[in-house]
Amino acid sequence: MNNIKNVFSIKDLENLSGIKAHTIRIWEKRYNVLQPMRTDTNIRLYDLASLQKLLNITLLHDYGYKISKISSYPEDQIPIMVREIVSSKSAKNHAITAFKMAMMNFDQELFLNTYNWLTEEKTFKEIFHQVFIPLLAELGLLWQTDTITPAHEHFITYLIKQKVLLNTEKLQLVKPVKLEKVFVLSLPMNEIHELGLMYLNYEILSRGYKTIYLGESMPIDNLKDMKKHFDSIVFVSYLTVQPDKDAVNSYIGQMADQLLGGNTELWYTGWLSQFIDKENLSDKEVVFNSIAELVEKI
């Protein structure tokens, strides 16, 4: 599973491009836009070049080009046209496709160029909510269907993390103006998916609060030590894959037993938060269904 994927099924192409497999077959038959390999049992298989071409064709098609016209262009002209379109100010809605192309080709330059073009018209918050969150949601589905490998996911999330960190550092240079409480952000033991938590740190800082970012795999005992330093704390936990969903409520109970008391609150979000038994929570424990919902509470 950790090997770089370089052969794709027609279902993989559908997942990555958003073009239905039936339509891809029609485009192949009528316009010869792709030339798949065939197994002994006549199952279509596609190489990375075919995937790249389909993503390019999809972007052109979304931009208004007819497939009959696209199919008439020389092979080497299509990527040039895509680059020109992606670089134009009117093509911001196609950023997700461009980022997926960057991911599949491990193309850092395309990622950075696309991001820079977005910043010409959008704030970092707008980029994260309008582009990165939908992109990450798509990556989750692509991961579940084995369309992408860990290498693809790590490549794109690392680049997004870089942008979060750069924008966070700018805020860290500004003195907090809201001193009534401190936000302590951490992930449970063995939880390594910290991009969502990193972005929450950015959002909280942008609202003038002091944050303590502790990151991944933080023991509850260490969180308890924070209460020696600050009187009023909001502990924020982002639950993506840990603890196991069957152990989530046990973890929530341990957090409450060891951390609640005084002016302490416990906030939870992330995919696993849906398994929290909300009926057993106190008024100091809050579960959020999304980043946007938590940000609205701050």
Side-chain angles (χ1 to χ4, degrees):
M1 188 175 182
N2 286 295
N3 293 329
I4 305 300
K5 192 167 184 174
N6 52 27
V7 177
F8 304 88
S9 68
I10 196 166
K11 190 65 178 177
D12 290 335
L13 265 61
E14 178 181 298
N15 291 336
L16 281 160
S17 69
I19 303 297
K20 294 294 184 183
H22 174 69
T23 302
I24 295 173
R25 293 188 189 98
I26 291 174
W27 287 1
E28 287 177 8
K29 186 175 181 179
R30 290 185 184 173
Y31 305 108
N32 198 35
V33 294
L34 298 176
Q35 296 80 41
M37 302 172 283
R38 301 272 185 170
T39 67
D40 294 339
T41 54
N42 208 34
I43 295 174
R44 287 173 168 83
L45 293 175
Y46 302 82
D47 60 15
L48 189 59
S50 295
L51 170 61
Q52 173 74 54
K53 184 177 181 182
L54 180 62
L55 288 173
N56 283 334
I57 289 172
T58 300
L59 193 147
L60 292 176
H61 191 257
D62 288 345
Y63 198 64
Y65 287 81
K66 293 184 180 298
I67 186 64
S68 57
K69 187 70 173 176
I70 299 171
S71 63
S72 68
Y73 296 139
E75 290 274 336
D76 58 353
Q77 186 178 342
I78 292 176
I80 295 172
M81 293 176 65
V82 166
R83 291 271 179 168
E84 290 174 351
I85 288 173
V86 171
S87 65
S88 70
K89 290 185 178 181
S90 59
K92 299 301 186 276
N93 291 336
H94 303 300
I96 291 177
T97 298
F99 284 136
K100 283 194 288 186
M101 286 194 293
M103 174 184 69
M104 297 310 299
N105 288 289
F106 300 100
D107 188 341
Q108 179 175 292
E109 182 182 359
L110 178 57
F111 176 93
L112 295 175
N113 286 341
T114 304
Y115 177 84
N116 289 337
W117 294 321
L118 285 170
T119 61
E120 292 176 12
E121 294 181 352
K122 297 180 183 292
T123 65
F124 175 68
K125 288 184 182 182
E126 289 173 331
I127 294 171
F128 198 91
H129 284 275
Q130 296 174 19
V131 180
F132 285 155
I133 288 181
L135 173 65
L136 293 168
E138 283 199 43
L139 294 189
L141 295 174
L142 295 173
W143 171 268
Q144 292 172 27
T145 57
D146 285 340
T147 304
I148 61 174
T149 67
H152 293 117
E153 183 197 26
H154 288 197
F155 174 79
I156 199 75
T157 54
Y158 175 73
L159 290 172
I160 296 173
K161 283 180 182 179
Q162 281 186 316
K163 297 306 176 187
V164 176
L165 287 171
L166 284 171
N167 284 276
T168 299
E169 184 178 18
K170 296 174 185 175
L171 296 175
Q172 289 171 327
L173 297 174
V174 180
K175 190 173 182 179
V177 294
K178 297 180 180 178
L179 306 176
E180 64 270 24
K181 54 189 172 184
V182 172
F183 287 81
V184 175
L185 298 91
S186 68
L187 300 177
M189 292 299 295
N190 302 314
E191 176 63 81
I192 60 173
H193 295 79
E194 64 174 332
L195 180 54
L197 192 75
M198 290 170 63
Y199 181 72
L200 285 175
N201 188 44
Y202 164 83
E203 284 278 11
I204 296 168
L205 284 168
S206 73
R207 282 159 172 75
Y209 288 99
K210 177 180 177 64
T211 68
I212 307 295
Y213 188 87
L214 300 179
E216 61 189 66
S217 290
M218 185 55 52
I220 298 176
D221 283 347
N222 290 170
L223 295 178
K224 192 174 181 179
D225 289 341
M226 292 291 103
K227 299 187 71 172
K228 300 175 183 177
H229 300 275
F230 305 102
D231 295 326
S232 183
I233 301 177
V234 178
F235 290 99
V236 180
S237 296
Y238 204 106
L239 315 178
T240 303
V241 297
Q242 291 292 333
D244 184 81
K245 66 180 182 180
D246 295 327
V248 165
N249 287 296
S250 174
Y251 171 76
I252 299 302
Q254 293 175 46
M255 290 281 284
D257 289 343
Q258 296 194 46
L259 299 178
L260 283 183
N263 295 319
T264 298
E265 295 179 58
L266 304 177
W267 290 9
Y268 302 101
T269 192
W271 185 79
L272 284 170
S273 64
Q274 66 184 297
F275 300 104
I276 296 175
D277 185 358
K278 299 177 182 63
E279 293 183 0
N280 293 327
L281 299 181
S282 69
D283 60 358
K284 295 288 189 179
E285 299 167 277
V286 187
V287 178
F288 299 93
N289 296 319
S290 66
I291 287 177
E293 190 176 302
L294 190 151
V295 168
E296 190 175 339
K297 171 77 172 178
I298 299 171

